[in-house]
Coordinates of all heavy atoms in Angstrom, one line a residue:
M102 N 85.6 260.1 -19.4 CA 86.9 260.7 -18.8 C 87.0 260.0 -17.5 O 86.1 260.0 -16.6 CB 86.8 262.2 -18.6 CG 88.0 262.8 -17.9 SD 88.0 264.5 -17.5 CE 87.8 265.2 -19.2
S103 N 88.2 259.4 -17.2 CA 88.3 258.7 -15.9 C 88.6 259.7 -14.8 O 89.1 260.8 -15.1 CB 89.4 257.6 -16.0 OG 90.7 258.4 -16.2
A104 N 88.5 259.3 -13.6 CA 88.9 260.1 -12.5 C 90.3 260.6 -12.6 O 90.8 261.6 -12.2 CB 88.6 259.5 -11.1
E105 N 91.2 259.6 -12.8 CA 92.7 259.9 -12.9 C 92.9 260.8 -14.1 O 93.8 261.8 -13.8 CB 93.4 258.5 -13.2 CG 94.9 258.7 -13.2 CD 95.6 257.5 -13.5 OE1 95.3 256.5 -12.9 OE2 96.6 257.4 -14.2
T106 N 92.4 260.8 -15.1 CA 92.5 261.9 -16.2 C 92.1 263.1 -15.7 O 92.8 264.2 -16.0 CB 91.8 261.4 -17.4 OG1 92.3 260.2 -17.9 CG2 92.1 262.4 -18.6
A107 N 90.9 263.3 -15.1 CA 90.4 264.6 -14.6 C 91.4 265.2 -13.6 O 91.4 266.4 -13.5 CB 89.1 264.4 -13.9
M108 N 92.1 264.4 -12.8 CA 93.0 265.0 -11.6 C 94.4 265.1 -12.2 O 95.2 265.8 -11.6 CB 93.0 263.9 -10.6 CG 91.8 263.8 -9.9 SD 91.7 262.6 -8.6 CE 93.1 262.9 -7.6
T109 N 94.7 264.8 -13.5 CA 96.0 265.0 -14.0 C 96.1 266.5 -14.5 O 95.4 266.7 -15.5 CB 96.4 263.9 -15.0 OG1 96.1 262.6 -14.7 CG2 97.8 264.2 -15.6
P110 N 97.0 267.2 -14.1 CA 97.2 268.6 -14.6 C 97.6 268.7 -16.0 O 98.5 267.8 -16.4 CB 98.1 269.2 -13.5 CG 98.8 268.2 -12.9 CD 98.0 267.0 -13.0
N111 N 97.3 269.6 -16.7 CA 97.9 269.8 -18.1 C 99.1 270.6 -18.0 O 99.5 271.0 -16.7 CB 96.8 270.5 -19.0 CG 96.4 271.9 -18.6 OD1 97.2 272.6 -18.1 ND2 95.2 272.2 -18.9
S112 N 99.8 271.0 -19.0 CA 101.1 271.5 -19.0 C 101.1 273.0 -18.2 O 101.9 273.5 -17.5 CB 101.6 271.7 -20.3 OG 103.0 272.3 -20.4
D113 N 100.0 273.8 -18.7 CA 99.8 275.1 -18.2 C 99.6 275.1 -16.6 O 100.0 275.9 -15.9 CB 98.7 275.9 -18.9 CG 99.1 276.3 -20.3 OD1 100.3 276.3 -20.7 OD2 98.1 276.4 -21.1
Q114 N 98.7 274.3 -16.2 CA 98.3 274.0 -14.8 C 99.6 273.5 -14.0 O 99.8 274.1 -12.9 CB 97.2 272.9 -14.6 CG 96.0 273.4 -15.1 CD 95.0 272.4 -15.0 OE1 95.2 271.1 -15.3 NE2 93.7 272.7 -14.9
L115 N 100.4 272.7 -14.6 CA 101.6 272.3 -13.9 C 102.6 273.5 -13.8 O 103.2 273.6 -12.8 CB 102.3 271.1 -14.6 CG 103.4 270.4 -13.9 CD1 103.0 269.9 -12.6 CD2 103.8 269.2 -14.7
D116 N 102.8 274.2 -14.8 CA 103.6 275.4 -14.7 C 103.1 276.4 -13.7 O 103.9 276.8 -13.0 CB 103.6 276.2 -16.2 CG 104.5 275.3 -17.2 OD1 105.2 274.5 -16.8 OD2 104.3 275.7 -18.5
Q117 N 101.9 276.7 -13.5 CA 101.4 277.6 -12.7 C 101.5 277.1 -11.2 O 101.9 277.8 -10.3 CB 100.0 277.9 -12.9 CG 99.3 279.0 -12.0 CD 100.0 280.4 -12.2 OE1 100.2 280.9 -13.2 NE2 100.5 281.0 -11.0
L118 N 101.3 275.7 -11.1 CA 101.5 275.1 -9.7 C 103.0 275.3 -9.3 O 103.3 275.6 -8.2 CB 101.1 273.7 -9.8 CG 101.2 272.9 -8.4 CD1 100.5 273.4 -7.4 CD2 100.9 271.4 -8.8
S119 N 103.9 275.0 -10.3 CA 105.4 275.1 -10.2 C 105.7 276.6 -9.6 O 106.5 276.8 -8.7 CB 106.2 274.8 -11.2 OG 105.9 273.4 -11.5
V120 N 105.3 277.6 -10.3 CA 105.6 279.0 -10.1 C 105.0 279.3 -8.7 O 105.7 280.0 -7.8 CB 104.9 279.9 -11.1 CG1 104.8 281.4 -10.6 CG2 105.6 279.8 -12.4
N121 N 103.7 278.9 -8.3 CA 103.2 279.1 -7.0 C 104.0 278.4 -5.9 O 104.1 278.9 -4.9 CB 101.7 278.7 -7.0 CG 100.9 279.8 -7.8 OD1 101.3 280.9 -8.1 ND2 99.7 279.3 -8.3
T122 N 104.5 277.2 -6.2 CA 105.3 276.4 -5.3 C 106.5 277.2 -4.9 O 107.0 277.5 -3.8 CB 105.6 275.2 -5.7 OG1 104.4 274.3 -5.9 CG2 106.4 274.4 -4.8
I123 N 107.1 277.8 -5.9 CA 108.4 278.7 -5.7 C 108.1 279.8 -4.9 O 108.8 280.3 -4.0 CB 109.1 279.0 -7.1 CG1 109.5 277.7 -7.8 CG2 110.1 280.1 -6.9 CD1 109.9 278.0 -9.2
R124 N 106.9 280.5 -5.2 CA 106.5 281.6 -4.3 C 106.3 281.3 -2.9 O 106.7 282.0 -2.1 CB 105.2 282.2 -5.0 CG 105.5 283.0 -6.2 CD 104.0 283.4 -6.8 NE 104.3 284.3 -8.0 CZ 103.4 284.5 -9.0 NH1 102.4 283.7 -9.0 NH2 103.7 285.4 -10.0
F125 N 105.6 280.2 -2.7 CA 105.3 279.7 -1.4 C 106.5 279.4 -0.6 O 106.7 279.8 0.5 CB 104.3 278.4 -1.4 CG 104.0 277.9 -0.1 CD1 103.2 278.5 0.8 CD2 104.8 276.8 0.4 CE1 103.0 278.0 2.0 CE2 104.5 276.3 1.6 CZ 103.6 277.0 2.5
L126 N 107.4 278.7 -1.2 CA 108.7 278.3 -0.6 C 109.5 279.5 -0.1 O 110.0 279.7 0.9 CB 109.6 277.5 -1.4 CG 109.2 276.1 -1.6 CD1 110.0 275.4 -2.8 CD2 109.2 275.2 -0.3
S127 N 109.4 280.5 -1.1 CA 110.2 281.9 -0.7 C 109.5 282.6 0.3 O 110.2 283.0 1.3 CB 110.3 282.7 -2.0 OG 110.9 282.1 -3.0
I128 N 108.3 282.7 0.3 CA 107.5 283.4 1.4 C 107.6 282.8 2.7 O 107.8 283.4 3.7 CB 106.0 283.8 0.9 CG1 106.1 284.5 -0.3 CG2 105.4 284.4 2.1 CD1 106.8 285.9 -0.3
D129 N 107.5 281.5 2.7 CA 107.6 280.7 3.9 C 109.0 280.9 4.5 O 109.1 281.1 5.7 CB 107.3 279.2 3.6 CG 107.1 278.3 4.9 OD1 106.4 278.9 5.8 OD2 107.6 277.3 4.9
A130 N 110.0 280.8 3.8 CA 111.4 280.9 4.3 C 111.6 282.3 4.8 O 112.2 282.6 6.0 CB 112.4 280.6 3.2
I131 N 111.1 283.4 4.1 CA 111.3 284.8 4.5 C 110.6 285.0 6.0 O 111.0 285.6 6.9 CB 110.7 285.6 3.5 CG1 111.7 285.7 2.3 CG2 110.5 287.1 4.1 CD1 111.0 286.4 1.1
Q132 N 109.3 284.4 6.0 CA 108.6 284.5 7.3 C 109.2 283.9 8.4 O 109.4 284.3 9.5 CB 107.2 284.0 6.9 CG 106.2 284.0 8.2 CD 105.8 285.4 8.5 OE1 105.6 286.2 7.7 NE2 105.6 285.6 9.8
K133 N 109.7 282.6 8.2 CA 110.5 281.8 9.3 C 111.7 282.5 9.7 O 112.0 282.5 10.9 CB 110.7 280.5 8.8 CG 109.3 279.6 8.8 CD 109.6 278.2 8.5 CE 108.2 277.5 8.5 NZ 108.3 276.1 8.3
A134 N 112.4 283.1 8.8 CA 113.5 283.8 9.2 C 113.3 285.1 9.7 O 114.2 285.7 10.3 CB 114.5 284.0 7.9
N135 N 112.0 285.6 9.5 CA 111.7 286.9 10.1 C 112.7 288.0 9.6 O 113.1 289.0 10.2 CB 111.7 287.1 11.7 CG 111.0 288.1 12.2 OD1 110.0 288.7 11.5 ND2 111.2 288.7 13.3
S136 N 113.0 287.8 8.2 CA 114.0 288.7 7.7 C 113.9 288.6 6.1 O 113.5 287.5 5.6 CB 115.4 288.4 7.9 OG 116.4 289.2 7.3
G137 N 114.0 289.6 5.3 CA 113.9 289.5 3.9 C 112.7 290.3 3.3 O 112.0 290.9 4.2
H138 N 112.6 290.3 2.0 CA 111.6 291.0 1.4 C 111.0 290.2 0.4 O 111.6 289.5 -0.4 CB 112.3 292.4 0.8 CG 111.2 293.2 0.2 ND1 110.6 293.0 -1.1 CD2 110.5 294.3 0.8 CE1 109.5 294.0 -1.2 NE2 109.6 294.8 -0.3
P139 N 109.6 289.9 0.3 CA 109.0 289.1 -0.5 C 108.7 289.6 -2.0 O 108.4 288.7 -2.8 CB 107.6 288.8 0.2 CG 107.5 290.1 0.9 CD 108.7 290.6 1.3
G140 N 108.9 290.8 -2.2 CA 108.6 291.4 -3.6 C 109.2 290.7 -4.8 O 108.6 290.3 -5.6
L141 N 110.5 290.6 -4.6 CA 111.2 290.0 -5.7 C 110.8 288.7 -6.0 O 110.5 288.2 -7.2 CB 112.8 290.3 -5.7 CG 113.5 289.9 -6.9 CD1 114.5 291.0 -7.1 CD2 114.1 288.4 -7.0
P142 N 110.9 287.8 -5.0 CA 110.4 286.3 -5.2 C 109.0 286.3 -5.7 O 108.8 285.3 -6.6 CB 110.5 285.7 -3.9 CG 111.5 286.5 -3.1 CD 111.5 287.8 -3.6
L143 N 108.1 287.0 -5.2 CA 106.7 287.0 -5.7 C 106.6 287.4 -7.2 O 106.0 286.8 -8.0 CB 105.9 287.8 -4.9 CG 105.5 287.3 -3.4 CD1 104.7 288.3 -2.8 CD2 104.6 286.0 -3.6
G144 N 107.3 288.6 -7.5 CA 107.1 289.0 -8.9 C 108.0 288.4 -10.0 O 107.6 288.2 -11.1
A145 N 109.2 287.8 -9.5 CA 110.2 287.2 -10.5 C 110.0 285.6 -10.6 O 110.6 285.1 -11.5 CB 111.5 287.6 -10.1
A146 N 109.1 285.1 -9.8 CA 109.0 283.6 -9.9 C 108.6 283.1 -11.2 O 109.3 282.1 -11.7 CB 108.1 283.1 -8.8
P147 N 107.7 283.8 -12.0 CA 107.4 283.2 -13.4 C 108.5 283.3 -14.3 O 108.9 282.3 -15.0 CB 106.3 284.0 -13.8 CG 105.6 284.6 -12.6 CD 106.7 284.7 -11.7
M148 N 109.3 284.4 -14.3 CA 110.4 284.6 -15.2 C 111.5 283.6 -14.8 O 112.0 282.9 -15.7 CB 111.0 286.1 -15.1 CG 112.2 286.3 -15.7 SD 113.8 286.0 -14.7 CE 113.6 286.9 -13.2
A149 N 111.9 283.5 -13.5 CA 112.8 282.6 -13.1 C 112.5 281.1 -13.3 O 113.4 280.3 -13.8 CB 113.1 282.8 -11.6
Y150 N 111.3 280.7 -13.2 CA 110.9 279.5 -13.5 C 111.1 279.1 -15.0 O 111.6 278.0 -15.4 CB 109.3 279.2 -13.1 CG 108.7 277.9 -13.6 CD1 109.2 276.6 -12.9 CD2 108.0 277.9 -14.8 CE1 108.6 275.5 -13.4 CE2 107.4 276.6 -15.2 CZ 107.7 275.5 -14.5 OH 107.4 274.2 -14.9
V151 N 110.6 279.9 -15.9 CA 110.8 279.8 -17.3 C 112.2 279.7 -17.6 O 112.8 278.8 -18.4 CB 110.2 280.8 -18.2 CG1 110.6 280.8 -19.6 CG2 108.6 280.8 -18.1
L152 N 113.1 280.5 -17.2 CA 114.5 280.5 -17.5 C 115.2 279.1 -16.9 O 115.9 278.5 -17.6 CB 115.3 281.6 -16.8 CG 115.2 282.9 -17.4 CD1 115.9 283.9 -16.6 CD2 116.0 283.0 -18.7
W153 N 114.8 278.7 -15.6 CA 115.3 277.7 -15.1 C 114.9 276.3 -15.7 O 115.8 275.4 -15.9 CB 114.9 277.6 -13.6 CG 115.8 276.9 -12.7 CD1 115.7 275.6 -12.3 CD2 116.8 277.3 -11.8 NE1 116.6 275.3 -11.4 CE2 117.4 276.4 -11.2 CE3 117.4 278.7 -11.9 CZ2 118.5 276.5 -10.3 CZ3 118.5 278.7 -11.0 CH2 119.0 277.8 -10.2
T154 N 113.7 276.2 -16.2 CA 113.2 275.0 -16.9 C 113.4 274.9 -18.3 O 113.4 273.8 -18.9 CB 111.7 274.8 -16.5 OG1 111.0 275.8 -16.9 CG2 111.6 274.6 -14.9
R155 N 113.4 276.0 -18.9 CA 113.4 275.9 -20.5 C 114.7 276.5 -21.2 O 114.9 276.2 -22.3 CB 112.2 276.7 -20.9 CG 111.0 276.1 -20.4 CD 109.6 276.5 -21.1 NE 108.5 276.0 -20.5 CZ 107.5 276.7 -20.0 NH1 107.5 277.9 -20.2 NH2 106.5 276.0 -19.5
F156 N 115.5 277.2 -20.5 CA 116.6 277.8 -21.2 C 118.0 277.4 -20.4 O 118.9 277.1 -21.2 CB 116.6 279.2 -21.1 CG 115.4 279.8 -22.0 CD1 114.2 280.1 -21.4 CD2 115.5 279.9 -23.3 CE1 113.2 280.5 -22.2 CE2 114.5 280.3 -24.2 CZ 113.3 280.6 -23.6
L157 N 118.1 277.3 -19.2 CA 119.3 277.1 -18.6 C 119.7 275.6 -18.7 O 118.9 274.7 -18.6 CB 119.3 277.5 -17.1 CG 119.2 278.9 -16.8 CD1 119.2 279.2 -15.2 CD2 120.3 279.8 -17.4
Q158 N 121.0 275.4 -18.9 CA 121.5 274.0 -19.0 C 122.0 273.5 -17.7 O 123.2 274.1 -17.3 CB 122.5 273.9 -20.2 CG 121.9 274.3 -21.5 CD 120.9 273.2 -22.0 OE1 121.2 272.1 -21.8 NE2 119.8 273.7 -22.6
H159 N 121.5 272.8 -17.0 CA 122.1 272.3 -15.7 C 121.6 270.9 -15.5 O 120.6 270.5 -16.1 CB 121.7 273.2 -14.6 CG 120.1 273.2 -14.3 ND1 119.5 272.3 -13.4 CD2 119.3 274.1 -14.9 CE1 118.3 272.7 -13.5 NE2 118.0 273.7 -14.3
S160 N 122.3 270.2 -14.7 CA 121.9 268.7 -14.5 C 122.1 268.4 -13.0 O 123.2 268.1 -12.6 CB 122.5 267.7 -15.4 OG 122.3 266.5 -15.0
P161 N 121.1 268.4 -12.2 CA 121.2 268.0 -10.7 C 121.8 266.4 -10.7 O 122.6 266.2 -9.7 CB 119.9 268.1 -10.1 CG 119.2 269.0 -11.0 CD 119.7 268.8 -12.4
A162 N 121.5 265.7 -11.7 CA 121.9 264.2 -11.6 C 123.4 264.2 -12.1 O 124.1 263.2 -11.8 CB 121.1 263.4 -12.5
N163 N 123.9 265.2 -12.7 CA 125.2 265.2 -13.2 C 126.0 266.6 -12.8 O 126.1 267.4 -13.5 CB 125.3 265.0 -14.6 CG 126.8 264.9 -15.2 OD1 127.8 264.9 -14.4 ND2 126.8 265.0 -16.5
P164 N 126.4 266.7 -11.6 CA 127.0 268.0 -11.0 C 128.3 268.2 -11.7 O 128.8 269.3 -11.6 CB 127.1 267.7 -9.6 CG 127.0 266.3 -9.3 CD 126.3 265.7 -10.5
Q165 N 128.8 267.2 -12.4 CA 130.2 267.4 -13.0 C 130.0 267.9 -14.6 O 130.9 267.8 -15.3 CB 131.0 266.0 -13.0 CG 131.1 265.6 -11.8 CD 131.9 266.5 -10.7 OE1 132.6 267.3 -11.3 NE2 131.4 266.5 -9.5
L166 N 128.7 268.3 -14.8 CA 128.5 268.9 -16.3 C 129.5 269.9 -16.7 O 129.9 270.7 -15.9 CB 127.1 269.5 -16.1 CG 126.5 270.0 -17.6 CD1 126.3 268.9 -18.4 CD2 125.3 270.8 -17.3
V167 N 130.1 269.7 -17.7 CA 131.4 270.5 -18.3 C 130.9 272.0 -18.1 O 131.8 272.7 -17.6 CB 131.7 270.1 -19.5 CG1 133.0 270.9 -20.0 CG2 132.2 268.5 -19.6
Q168 N 130.0 272.4 -18.8 CA 129.7 273.9 -18.8 C 128.3 274.3 -18.5 O 127.6 274.7 -19.4 CB 130.1 274.5 -20.2 CG 131.6 274.3 -20.4 CD 132.1 275.6 -21.2 OE1 131.4 276.4 -21.7 NE2 133.5 275.7 -21.2
P169 N 127.8 274.0 -17.2 CA 126.5 274.3 -16.8 C 126.3 275.8 -16.9 O 127.2 276.6 -16.7 CB 126.4 273.7 -15.5 CG 127.7 273.9 -14.9 CD 128.5 273.6 -16.0
D170 N 125.1 276.2 -17.3 CA 124.8 277.7 -17.2 C 124.7 278.2 -15.8 O 124.5 277.3 -14.9 CB 123.5 277.9 -17.9 CG 123.6 277.8 -19.5 OD1 124.7 277.9 -20.0 OD2 122.6 277.4 -20.0
R171 N 125.0 279.5 -15.6 CA 124.7 280.0 -14.2 C 123.8 281.1 -14.3 O 123.5 281.9 -15.3 CB 126.1 280.6 -13.8 CG 127.0 279.5 -13.3 CD 128.3 279.6 -13.9 NE 129.2 278.6 -13.3 CZ 129.7 277.7 -14.1 NH1 129.3 277.4 -15.3 NH2 130.6 276.9 -13.5
F172 N 123.0 281.2 -13.2 CA 122.0 282.3 -13.0 C 122.4 283.1 -11.8 O 122.6 282.7 -10.8 CB 120.7 281.5 -12.8 CG 119.5 282.6 -12.5 CD1 118.9 283.4 -13.5 CD2 118.9 282.6 -11.3 CE1 117.9 284.1 -13.4 CE2 117.8 283.5 -11.1 CZ 117.3 284.3 -12.1
V173 N 122.6 284.3 -12.2 CA 123.3 285.3 -11.2 C 122.2 286.3 -10.8 O 121.7 287.0 -11.8 CB 124.4 286.0 -11.7 CG1 125.0 287.0 -10.6 CG2 125.6 284.9 -12.0
L174 N 121.8 286.5 -9.7 CA 120.7 287.4 -9.3 C 121.4 288.4 -8.3 O 121.9 287.9 -7.3 CB 119.6 286.6 -8.5 CG 118.5 287.5 -8.1 CD1 117.7 288.2 -9.3 CD2 117.6 286.8 -7.2
S175 N 121.7 289.6 -8.7 CA 122.5 290.5 -7.9 C 121.6 291.2 -6.9 O 122.2 291.9 -6.0 CB 123.1 291.6 -8.8 OG 122.1 292.3 -9.4
A176 N 120.4 291.0 -6.9 CA 119.5 291.6 -5.8 C 119.5 290.7 -4.6 O 118.8 289.6 -4.5 CB 118.1 291.8 -6.3
G177 N 120.3 291.1 -3.5 CA 120.4 290.3 -2.4 C 119.1 290.0 -1.6 O 119.0 288.8 -1.2
H178 N 118.3 290.9 -1.7 CA 117.0 290.7 -0.9 C 116.1 289.8 -1.8 O 115.1 289.2 -1.1 CB 116.3 292.1 -0.8 CG 115.8 292.8 -2.0 ND1 116.6 293.5 -2.8 CD2 114.6 292.7 -2.6 CE1 115.9 294.0 -3.6 NE2 114.8 293.5 -3.8
G179 N 116.5 289.4 -2.9 CA 115.8 288.4 -3.7 C 116.4 286.9 -3.6 O 116.0 286.1 -4.3
S180 N 117.4 286.8 -2.9 CA 118.2 285.5 -2.7 C 117.2 284.3 -2.4 O 117.6 283.2 -2.7 CB 119.3 285.6 -1.8 OG 118.8 285.8 -0.4
M181 N 116.2 284.6 -1.7 CA 115.3 283.4 -1.3 C 114.8 282.9 -2.5 O 114.2 281.6 -2.7 CB 114.2 283.8 -0.4 CG 113.5 282.8 0.3 SD 114.6 281.5 1.0 CE 115.4 282.5 2.4
L182 N 114.5 283.7 -3.7 CA 114.0 283.1 -5.0 C 115.0 282.0 -5.5 O 114.6 281.0 -5.9 CB 113.8 284.3 -6.0 CG 113.6 283.7 -7.4 CD1 112.2 283.0 -7.4 CD2 113.5 284.9 -8.2
L183 N 116.3 282.3 -5.5 CA 117.4 281.3 -5.8 C 117.3 280.0 -4.9 O 117.3 278.9 -5.5 CB 118.7 281.9 -5.8 CG 119.1 282.9 -6.9 CD1 120.4 283.5 -6.6 CD2 119.0 282.2 -8.2
Y184 N 117.2 280.2 -3.8 CA 117.1 279.1 -2.8 C 115.8 278.2 -3.1 O 116.0 277.0 -3.1 CB 117.1 279.4 -1.4 CG 118.4 280.3 -0.8 CD1 118.3 281.3 -0.1 CD2 119.6 279.8 -1.2 CE1 119.4 282.0 0.3 CE2 120.7 280.4 -0.8 CZ 120.6 281.6 0.0 OH 121.8 282.2 0.4
S185 N 114.7 278.9 -3.3 CA 113.6 278.0 -3.7 C 113.6 277.4 -5.1 O 113.1 276.3 -5.1 CB 112.4 279.2 -3.7 OG 112.1 279.8 -2.4
L186 N 114.2 278.0 -6.0 CA 114.5 277.4 -7.3 C 115.4 276.2 -7.1 O 115.2 275.0 -7.6 CB 115.1 278.3 -8.3 CG 114.2 279.4 -8.9 CD1 115.0 280.4 -9.6 CD2 113.3 278.7 -9.9
A187 N 116.4 276.3 -6.3 CA 117.4 275.2 -6.2 C 116.7 274.0 -5.3 O 116.9 272.9 -5.8 CB 118.6 275.7 -5.4
A188 N 115.9 274.3 -4.3 CA 115.2 273.4 -3.5 C 114.2 272.6 -4.4 O 114.1 271.4 -4.2 CB 114.5 274.1 -2.4
S189 N 113.4 273.4 -5.2 CA 112.4 272.8 -6.1 C 113.2 271.8 -7.1 O 112.4 271.0 -7.8 CB 111.5 273.7 -6.7 OG 112.2 274.5 -7.6
H190 N 114.3 272.1 -7.5 CA 115.0 271.2 -8.5 C 116.1 270.3 -7.9 O 116.9 269.9 -8.6 CB 115.7 272.1 -9.7 CG 114.6 272.7 -10.5 ND1 113.8 273.8 -10.0 CD2 114.1 272.2 -11.7 CE1 112.9 274.1 -11.2 NE2 113.1 273.1 -12.0
R191 N 116.1 270.3 -6.5 CA 117.1 269.4 -5.8 C 118.5 269.7 -6.2 O 119.2 268.8 -6.4 CB 116.7 268.0 -6.1 CG 115.3 267.7 -5.3 CD 114.9 266.2 -5.7 NE 113.7 265.7 -5.1 CZ 112.5 266.3 -5.3 NH1 112.3 267.3 -5.9 NH2 111.5 265.8 -4.6
L192 N 118.9 271.0 -6.1 CA 120.3 271.3 -6.4 C 121.0 271.5 -5.1 O 120.5 271.9 -4.1 CB 120.3 272.5 -7.2 CG 119.8 272.5 -8.6 CD1 119.9 273.9 -9.3 CD2 120.4 271.5 -9.4

């Protein structure tokens, strides 16, 4: 096994790293704003990541997509989760 192969994450590791990145972005922003609640971003990050990457139809490269799916989160105190998802997918 080469060093490059050993350092390449598998799919499960990449998913977990992505979820943790979303959590970190959310908590970091909440801390910097000195406002908000971390509970929803911490708890819902895995669910939101799966929805965002495996089910929702959207294309950052093509913002004129005819009918992109929308993700509505009605819990205002969890809005940082949406911002973190958008930032991690460059929306």
Side-chain angles (χ1 to χ4, degrees):
M102 177 185 303
S103 71
E105 185 177 315
T106 303
M108 293 175 50
T109 304
N111 65 36
S112 180
D113 290 338
Q114 291 170 326
L115 189 57
D116 286 344
Q117 187 61 53
L118 179 62
S119 298
V120 168
N121 288 340
T122 299
I123 292 165
R124 287 174 169 154
F125 175 79
L126 288 170
S127 297
I128 299 308
D129 190 45
I131 290 168
Q132 180 69 30
K133 285 186 180 186
N135 199 25
S136 178
H138 189 274
L141 194 137
L143 285 174
M148 171 273 307
Y150 172 76
V151 169
L152 281 174
W153 206 268
T154 59
R155 299 197 179 122
F156 294 98
L157 295 179
Q158 299 293 316
H159 62 89
S160 175
N163 181 12
Q165 304 304 322
L166 187 65
V167 177
Q168 295 217 347
D170 291 333
R171 278 123 175 121
F172 179 68
V173 178
L174 180 67
S175 64
H178 65 277
S180 62
M181 197 51 66
L182 175 64
L183 287 177
Y184 296 138
S185 297
L186 285 164
S189 67
H190 287 83
R191 292 172 175 67
L192 295 181

